[in-house]
Amino acid sequence: MKRTYLFIGLILGFIGYAGYFFADSVTPYVGIAQARAATRSVQVKGLPDKSVAAHMEDDAFVFSIADEDTGETMLVRYKGIKPDTFDEAYHIVAVGKYADGTFNADKLLIKCPSKYESQKGKVTV
């Protein structure tokens, strides 16, 4: 009987442990206003903001994105080098946290329209 309770306790403990870390690893999509208020890592989708010149600063790539709906802008600091497809970007998704007036991104997802456009009668899938 004690073994059964121990076994059930271990299973429930494992489920709780796995659930806690799974929930922590899920990063929701939010707008720029919500990203500024978030206390955990989030994904922010925006349009490239050409009013701020993208540049390298120390060991980080710095640029700005604009919210597609509100036009609100936010400075992004990416821990890495400028992605090759950045200049052709249609949308940019930054994954990270907002702190000290800047969104600090650990990952960038660059969405380029040319990758999905058809080419003179050819359809790319």
Side-chain angles (χ1 to χ4, degrees), residues 49-57 61-64 75-76 86:
D49 177 21
K50 304 295 183 186
S51 67
V52 175
H55 62 281
M56 290 299 294
E57 193 173 288
F61 178 58
V62 180
F63 61 97
S64 181
L75 198 63
V76 178
F86 183 83

Side-chain angles (χ1 to χ4, degrees), residues 34-109:
Q34 294 91 350
R36 287 189 171 122
T39 58
R40 52 179 266 179
S41 186
V42 295
Q43 297 185 52
V44 181
K45 179 181 171 186
L47 302 171
D49 177 21
K50 304 295 183 186
S51 67
V52 175
H55 62 281
M56 290 299 294
E57 193 173 288
D58 298 326
D59 291 334
F61 178 58
V62 180
F63 61 97
S64 181
I65 60 173
D67 190 295
E68 197 169 7
D69 298 326
T70 65
E72 185 177 4
T73 62
M74 178 172 65
L75 198 63
V76 178
R77 179 181 299 276
Y78 171 60
K79 299 174 188 174
I81 60 171
K82 177 182 174 181
D84 293 336
T85 57
F86 183 83
D87 292 329
E88 294 85 31
Y90 178 67
H91 281 109
I92 300 170
V93 177
V95 181
K97 292 181 181 179
Y98 187 82
D100 301 324
T102 305
F103 189 82
N104 299 299
D106 299 319
K107 296 179 191 173
L108 288 182
L109 301 148

